[in-house]
């Protein structure tokens, strides 16, 4: 009987504590709505959060005031009228109860860009440990005081279901914060900030060594029959996880032995994190929480992990589906989606060329742009150091596609068609109205074939905006 009284008293205590906590629940905003944030200009501004069920929440921003009522789960949401670029401003969210509200300071209104992909987008301004460095890194970091550029670095995380929040909050762009941030995204944002004279918010949501499969939502994968191969790829990967664990253990033993013998550590194969390859896992944890936040557009650098011969032929299908998937979930129309065509790297067992071609074909998707990186790559290093050129080329595409500079030539020449001229072939290009130019005295890499279908090396010469190609022994 005494024990029952103790249990009863304990239950009563916890019920009272729980009811008190609910009654005093504070208005909460998602972490993406934090001090130092950039809100998207010239578009309705979405503000949302959580409080007591049925509570009225009042939001003040600049000269606007709006209210919303929380639903039975405590969720509330409202939209502010579009604002022009400016700031800094304060944003407050106050509930109808006596609990304290939320006040955010130093809020700017400008353009928000999401940067995502794998390691070449993830690579921070300070570089990766080892031989992955950013050109002029120390100088670039020292100069990274940009008061009207703000950074949001998303935690690397995977989830089985879409999350509603993440742990990251906005920071000012300083040498300390920029050093840890995506170098490509930083150079892109710096260029846009300088050219457009508006605040820029950059969201770095990246994870090295990840396939495009992980960045597509499950509802897109499940409703698109063309994406079914994603599950077979995942099944094959899961089958290899046990061997992966054994290989990692063996590598650790080899490293320990080398260290004990005062020898350099041996080189090992790279082993991906199992959770980072889970279909939709990175979308759920690193993209879904961002989708309620209004953005200007996205930049993307990924494809190396999809370059094995089995996966590469499906990349065009997967990549275009991901772009449409993101646009659907953000619900801001066909926002500009700009991406980097993967660079050159000496990897004979992988099919990088097929992935590059898939990326070229993805330009058929509306409002997309591609930055070529082949000429600034490093065939001996999967992480080229020249991230400045990559960021600048993405910014060129943004200026033309997102900011309306129709006179700006932002793309390298792209194949249009080829016509036969006797024993020669003339190849025509788009984005070449001012004529073509070549690095070096000769054009290399062209081949032609006759009726037998056997391609042979050809000589090529520039003729205005076209290239004339022919080879001895190929008469037609």
């Amino acid at each position: 009987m005494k024990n029952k009284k103790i249990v009863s008293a304990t239950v009563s205590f916890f019920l009272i504590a729980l009811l008190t906590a609910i009654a005093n629940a504070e208005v909460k905003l998602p972490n993406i709505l934090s001090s130092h944030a950039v809100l998207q200009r010239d578009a309705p501004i979405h503000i949302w959060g959580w409080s007591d069920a049925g509570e009225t929440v009042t939001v003040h921003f600049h000269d606007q005031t709006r209210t919303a009522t929380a639903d039975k789960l405590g969720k509330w949401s409202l939209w502010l009228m579009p604002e022009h670029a400016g700031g800094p401003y304060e944003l407050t969210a106050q509930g109808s109860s006596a609990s304290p509200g939320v006040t955010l300071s130093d809020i700017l209104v400008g353009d928000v860009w999401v940067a995502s992909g794998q390691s070449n987008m993830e690579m921070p301004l300070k570089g990766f440990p080892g031989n992955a460095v950013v050109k002029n890194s120390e100088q670039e970091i020292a100069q990274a005081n940009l008061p009207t550029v703000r950074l949001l670095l998303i935690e690397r995380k995977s989830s089985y279901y879409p999350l509603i929040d993440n742990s990251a909050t906005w920071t000012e762009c300083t040498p300390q914060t920029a050093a840890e941030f995506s170098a490509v995204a930083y150079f892109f944002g710096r260029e846009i900030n300088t050219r457009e004279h508006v605040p820029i918010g950059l969201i770095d949501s990246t994870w090295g060594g990840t396939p495009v499969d992980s960045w597509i939502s499950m509802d897109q994968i499940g409703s698109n029959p063309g994406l079914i191969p994603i599950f077979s790829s995942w099944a094959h990967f899961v089958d290899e996880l046990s061997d992966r664990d054994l290989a990692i253990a063996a590598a650790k033993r080899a490293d320990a032995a080398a260290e004990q013998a005062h020898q350099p550590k041996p080189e090992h194969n790279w082993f991906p994190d199992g959770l980072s390859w889970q279909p939709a896992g990175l979308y759920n944890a690193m993209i879904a929480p961002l989708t309620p936040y209004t953005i200007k557009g996205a930049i993307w650098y990924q494809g190396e992990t999809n370059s094995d011969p089995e996966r590469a032929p499906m990349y065009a299908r997967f990549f275009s589906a991901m772009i449409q998937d993101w646009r659907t979930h953000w619900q801001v129309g066909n926002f500009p989606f700009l991406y980097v065509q993967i660079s050159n790297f000496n990897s004979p067992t992988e099919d990088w060329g097929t992935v590059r071609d898939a990326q070229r074909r993805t330009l058929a998707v509306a409002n997309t742009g591609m930055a070529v990186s082949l000429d600034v790559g490093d065939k001996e290093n999967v992480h080229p150091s020249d991230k400045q050129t990559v960021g600048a080329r993405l910014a060129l595409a943004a200026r033309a596609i997102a900011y309306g500079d129709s006179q700006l030539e932002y793309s390298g020449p792209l194949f249009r068609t080829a016509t036969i001229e006797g024993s020669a072939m003339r190849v025509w290009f788009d984005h070449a109205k001012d004529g073509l130019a070549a690095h070096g005295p000769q054009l290399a890499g062209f081949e032609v074939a006759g009726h037998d279908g056997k391609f042979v090396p050809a000589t090529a010469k520039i003729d205005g905006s076209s290239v004339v190609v022919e080879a001895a022994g190929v008469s037609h």
Side-chain angles (χ1 to χ4, degrees), residues 433-458:
K433 65 180 180 180
D434 295 327
L436 297 170
H439 297 292
Q442 293 182 330
L443 296 184
F446 286 87
E447 297 179 340
V448 296
H451 288 301
D452 58 5
K454 295 180 180 178
F455 283 86
V456 296

Side-chain angles (χ1 to χ4, degrees), residues 407-467:
Q407 301 304 310
L408 179 67
E409 182 53 89
Y410 66 91
S411 172
L414 292 169
F415 171 78
R416 181 196 303 166
T417 189
T419 56
I420 295 172
E421 297 184 4
S423 62
M425 182 166 278
R426 186 178 295 271
V427 186
W428 300 88
F429 295 88
D430 290 323
H431 298 284
K433 65 180 180 180
D434 295 327
L436 297 170
H439 297 292
Q442 293 182 330
L443 296 184
F446 286 87
E447 297 179 340
V448 296
H451 288 301
D452 58 5
K454 295 180 180 178
F455 283 86
V456 296
T459 58
K461 64 178 181 179
I462 292 174
D463 184 10
S465 59
S466 63
V467 174

Side-chain angles (χ1 to χ4, degrees), residues 131-201:
N131 68 340
V133 298
V134 173
K135 185 175 68 174
N136 300 329
S137 176
E138 292 185 4
Q139 179 182 350
E140 296 284 12
I141 291 172
Q143 297 174 348
N145 276 305
L146 303 177
T148 56
V149 174
R150 304 297 169 82
L151 310 177
L152 182 69
L153 180 56
I154 302 299
E155 175 191 3
R156 296 197 313 181
K157 190 175 182 180
S158 182
S159 173
Y160 292 109
Y161 56 89
L163 303 182
I164 60 173
D165 202 1
N166 63 75
S167 61
T169 56
W170 289 91
T171 65
E172 297 175 278
C173 182
T174 67
Q176 292 72 34
T177 58
E180 306 291 336
F181 202 80
S182 162
V184 169
Y186 168 78
F187 293 128
F188 168 84
R190 183 180 68 181
E191 181 77 7
I192 298 298
N193 177 248
T194 300
R195 294 278 183 174
E196 299 299 323
H197 307 291
V198 295
I200 296 294

Side-chain angles (χ1 to χ4, degrees), residues 231-362:
F231 294 114
S232 60
S233 295
W234 172 242
H236 180 71
F237 178 80
V238 169
D239 286 342
E240 295 180 341
L241 284 181
S242 58
D243 287 342
R244 167 188 171 277
D245 291 343
L246 291 173
I248 291 175
K252 289 180 178 179
R253 290 194 297 271
D255 288 347
E259 186 174 356
Q260 189 172 7
H262 303 289
Q263 298 291 327
K265 292 182 180 180
E267 291 189 4
H268 306 295
N269 291 330
W270 171 76
F271 305 107
D273 183 293
L275 289 177
S276 70
W277 279 47
Q278 174 192 330
L282 303 189
Y283 171 85
N284 289 337
M286 300 177 68
I287 298 298
L290 312 179
T291 56
Y293 199 77
T294 309
I295 63 171
K296 178 73 171 180
I299 58 175
W300 173 264
Y301 193 164
Q302 188 274 340
E304 298 91 341
T305 295
N306 285 85
S307 63
D308 68 80
E310 289 185 8
R311 302 164 69 89
M314 297 178 285
Y315 191 77
R317 192 188 313 162
F318 293 177
F319 185 34
S320 60
M322 190 206 78
I323 295 172
Q324 183 56 52
D325 182 41
W326 286 20
R327 288 173 170 173
T328 298
H329 285 95
W330 251 288
Q331 298 183 345
V332 288
N334 288 342
F335 62 74
F337 193 101
L338 315 174
Y339 57 91
V340 183
Q341 187 186 49
I342 59 174
S343 191
N344 57 317
F345 180 60
N346 183 22
S347 184
T349 62
E350 296 179 285
D351 196 352
W352 284 41
T354 295
V355 173
R356 277 193 290 269
D357 188 55
Q359 291 170 323
R360 179 185 65 84
R361 294 173 186 272
T362 303

